[in-house]
Amino acid sequence: MSGADSPSRCSPHVLREYALVADGERGALIGPRGDLVWMCAPHWDSGAVFSGLIGGAGHYTITPSGRFVWGGYYEPGTLIWRSRWITESGIVECREALAFPGEPHRAVLLRRIVAVEGDARLTVALAPAAEFGQARLTDVDRDPFGNWTARSGALRLRWGGAGDARPHRDGWNIDLRLRDGCRHDLVLELSDTGLADQPVDPGATWAATETAWQHVAPDLPDTLAPADARHSAVVLRGLTARSGGMVAAATLGLPERARAGRNYDYRYVWIRDQCYAGQALAAAGPTAGPADQFDDLVSFVVARILDDGPDLAPAYTATGARIPDEHRLELPGYPGGAPVVGNRVTGQTQLDAFGEALLLLSAAVARGRADTDVHAAITITADAIAQRWTRPDAGLWELDDRHWAHSRLTCVAGLRQAATRAGTTRSADWIALADAILASTADCRHPSGRWQRAPDDSRVDAGLLLPALRGAVPTTDPRSIATARAVAEELGEEQFVYRFRHDDRPLGDAEGAFLLCGFFMALTAHRHGDSTAAIRWFERNRAACGPPGLFAEEYDIAQRQLRGNLPQAFVHALLLESAAVLTRPPR
């Protein structure tokens, strides 16, 4: 396969057709042609070694020869994906995974080809190119075991099971034939610290990966759509590194709107998203995976608070470092978008993140998972809110600095939960502070009785559904009831929800529906006692995915397409929370 016709140079697929394999430290996207065209290594925020998704060099493709139709599925409770092709001569599958749990400096990509029915003919092409395609292959050789070895930039690689591969300048090609019922293992190792003396044993590594997923996959029988709730929990685990940091998405530069300039790098840990995921696990109860998954999410947030206090950043790398400023890669990008690395969020303050942190830490107290560091972080966060709440901030949607109603109300909710659950001598002070902040939001009461976005912005905002769900005000508060009604009437369309109205254009012309807000609406309807509406909102938004069951940030209702980076962790978190909460009586 030449560079001209390789998947890295062909048009990419629509996002709904990509599957994710992940090990906590990194992830890879695989398309319906068996084209693995996105993977950063060794870490989430490293340069991509396969960047064909955004027009760069680098891909790892296993595809049947001749005509075929595509399908695929995840093995239940895992991020082990099975690409499945019906060919003119039979059925062939490729079982795909990153060895789990992953090691920070070493990735092991497992691909097992199986001739399920009839003989199989496939073409295999491996063309790694680290640093977004800038680092070509060097030091190509064979080791004593017959495996191919090479370097690409700082990465060393070893490819097992490919003894018949034909090397060329950019990688290797294989024409593979399998008889009916036979299988063939390919194992790619990538490391920036050196390879082990012995190559990976595919059988043992597959078995260890299966066992590890069985250990962390939750049992959620008492939820709506248990299989989807479980899958969302597994996706969240796959996006969570050993540090406890959960990246917002596996990708960068996938456009939310074609040519609209909204192309972001989400391979970092947002404090807000981290808290959403932790609260979802807490809501799902003790069967939502092992306690250490919740504990890891909490520990990451606690560490950042103890280190940075009132200077808590909105986002960090998965190792807890500050993230780089934005710059654009010299690549074509995903069609309609631009490949932007880094994120401008690094210079922002997001007040609601402090409130969300208090909600997460309070959940840890309620769950009996709080140590002295958690209690210290609660106090530091409450003090930070007292110091910062009168200042403008960038808010939930990371816009210009204003006195956003959502930010203040989220802090009210967090302070109330901390005062109730932490039970310290400071509780009375925190309640008084919450009351003062709530009173200040009188400048965000719309003449119709609902909440408005900011004192100088009278629009309704779907994000204003969340503080009431978290306890900022009672369920019966007329402002929140009016807000829910306005969101449904002004921002709802076909049981999907837009964030806010940008301008006079139709909602769908400005951006896609926001799936996060659709689940906010499901939870709100449930809280208000309308179980039928709650399930309708839930089911509609649950369906806004492709065959692999992955969600992006936005959904184009007219074209039924995913928009934005993939998979978006906070959507999976709110699906999990909604699936758990909607089976219970409203509080």
Side-chain angles (χ1 to χ4, degrees):
M1 184 177 294
S2 68
D5 58 6
S6 71
S8 64
R9 304 303 182 194
C10 293
S11 294
H13 312 285
V14 293
L15 295 181
R16 67 187 180 207
E17 294 185 337
Y18 284 103
L20 170 80
V21 294
D23 63 7
E25 305 296 332
R26 60 200 66 85
L29 293 188
I30 303 170
R33 293 189 295 263
D35 41 338
L36 194 159
V37 290
W38 181 256
M39 179 176 166
C40 298
H43 310 299
W44 287 110
D45 59 328
S46 300
V49 65
F50 303 120
S51 57
L53 183 69
I54 58 173
H59 68 97
Y60 181 12
T61 302
I62 300 174
T63 194
S65 302
R67 298 170 67 239
F68 63 87
V69 293
W70 165 81
Y73 59 96
Y74 282 106
E75 296 179 11
T78 76
L79 287 184
I80 298 172
W81 174 254
R82 284 182 180 260
S83 296
R84 182 177 176 88
W85 300 290
I86 310 300
T87 71
E88 293 178 311
S89 59
I91 302 172
V92 60
E93 290 188 349
C94 186
R95 194 183 191 208
E96 330 249 18
L98 278 162
F100 180 76
E103 300 176 21
H105 294 279
R106 176 173 173 263
V108 178
L109 188 59
L110 303 168
R111 307 190 80 174
R112 172 173 285 177
I113 307 162
V114 182
V116 176
E117 182 180 305
D119 295 347
R121 296 178 55 214
L122 306 98
T123 59
V124 181
L126 173 62
E131 298 304 326
F132 300 106
Q134 299 304 304
R136 297 296 181 176
L137 282 183
T138 61
D139 302 338
V140 177
D141 200 357
R142 277 189 170 183
D143 68 13
F145 303 95
N147 303 304
W148 288 101
T149 61
R151 287 182 179 270
S152 181
L155 293 176
R156 296 188 61 186
L157 66 91
R158 176 164 53 201
W159 194 27
D164 294 334
R166 303 183 303 276
H168 54 83
R169 186 191 67 170
D170 297 324
W172 301 265
N173 292 339
I174 308 175
D175 296 319
L176 189 63
R177 286 177 168 79
L178 292 179
R179 293 199 174 277
D180 183 15
C182 294
R183 72 185 191 193
H184 186 85
D185 280 304
L186 293 168
V187 180
L188 178 64
E189 301 172 64
L190 298 166
S191 174
D192 66 339
T193 58
L195 300 169
D197 292 337
Q198 295 291 322
V200 168
D201 180 324
T205 308
W206 271 116
T209 296
E210 294 161 10
T211 300
W213 279 117
Q214 291 168 6
H215 173 68
V216 303
D219 182 18
L220 301 168
D222 299 325
T223 59
L224 286 179
D228 283 2
R230 189 185 198 207
H231 181 53
S232 282
V234 165
V235 170
L236 296 177
R237 179 60 186 86
L239 296 174
T240 304
R242 288 190 180 188
S243 66
M246 180 198 71
V247 295
T251 58
L252 64 84
L254 303 187
E256 296 173 359
R257 199 72 180 173
R259 304 302 177 196
R262 296 202 299 270
N263 312 277
Y264 305 113
D265 186 351
Y266 281 175
R267 301 170 301 150
Y268 306 111
V269 181
W270 263 254
I271 295 297
R272 178 192 301 109
D273 299 12
Q274 184 98 355
C275 295
Y276 286 171
Q279 291 173 79
L281 290 172
T287 60
D292 56 3
Q293 183 175 355
F294 176 83
D295 292 346
D296 288 348
L297 293 170
V298 171
S299 295
F300 186 92
V301 174
V302 168
R304 305 290 76 73
I305 292 170
L306 295 181
D307 285 347
D308 295 341
D311 297 321
L312 181 73
Y316 296 83
T317 70
T319 59
R322 295 288 175 138
I323 65 178
D325 291 330
E326 287 185 343
H327 69 276
R328 180 169 173 168
L329 298 171
E330 295 300 320
L331 293 174
Y334 187 89
V340 175
V341 174
N343 198 290
R344 62 186 174 86
V345 75
T346 189
Q348 293 182 349
T349 296
Q350 294 172 14
L351 181 65
D352 69 299
F354 291 91
E356 292 293 349
L358 282 183
L359 289 165
L360 175 64
L361 301 182
S362 298
V365 174
R367 217 178 186 207
R369 309 299 299 181
D371 56 16
T372 55
D373 281 349
V374 169
H375 286 282
I378 289 173
T379 299
I380 292 170
T381 304
D383 289 344
I385 291 173
Q387 176 182 330
R388 286 187 167 273
W389 76 269
T390 58
R391 306 177 194 173
D393 75 294
L396 170 63
W397 307 129
E398 302 173 2
L399 304 171
D400 54 313
D401 284 356
R402 294 190 188 184
H403 293 284
W404 298 106
H406 171 272
S407 294
R408 285 181 279 168
L409 289 169
T410 302
C411 289
V412 172
L415 288 164
R416 294 200 192 289
Q417 288 293 320
T420 301
R421 291 177 169 177
T424 72
T425 57
R426 300 286 304 280
S427 294
D429 294 336
W430 296 342
I431 290 293
L433 178 58
D435 290 343
I437 298 174
L438 180 60
S440 79
T441 60
D443 61 6
C444 289
R445 182 168 182 173
H446 190 267
S448 66
R450 62 165 170 81
W451 299 110
Q452 63 182 45
R453 304 183 75 212
D456 56 349
D457 188 340
S458 63
R459 289 172 292 176
V460 66
D461 191 316
L464 288 166
L465 297 170
L466 187 59
L469 293 169
R470 300 303 189 219
V473 294
T475 300
T476 55
D477 186 277
R479 293 163 295 187
S480 292
I481 293 173
T483 300
R485 185 182 306 115
V487 169
E489 293 175 355
E490 299 181 32
L491 302 177
E493 183 179 327
E494 299 183 23
Q495 302 301 127
F496 294 104
V497 181
Y498 294 88
R499 293 185 297 169
F500 54 86
R501 185 173 289 281
H502 287 260
D503 46 42
D504 293 335
R505 290 176 294 170
L507 288 166
D509 288 356
E511 67 175 9
F514 227 69
L515 298 177
L516 178 75
C517 298
F519 291 117
F520 287 170
M521 198 69 216
L523 289 167
T524 298
H526 174 74
R527 180 67 64 90
H528 292 166
D530 191 343
S531 59
T532 300
I535 292 174
R536 288 183 67 198
W537 290 108
F538 174 80
E539 290 294 351
R540 191 65 163 150
N541 286 270
R542 180 172 74 96
C545 61
L550 302 178
F551 295 92
E553 190 170 40
E554 298 181 13
Y555 185 69
D556 186 319
I557 298 173
Q559 298 186 51
R560 302 190 180 191
Q561 297 287 4
L562 304 180
R563 304 294 186 205
N565 286 289
L566 188 77
Q568 193 74 33
F570 62 34
V571 180
H572 286 276
L574 265 294
L575 185 153
L576 172 61
E577 180 177 348
S578 301
V581 171
L582 265 57
T583 62
R584 305 168 189 161
R587 289 185 296 174

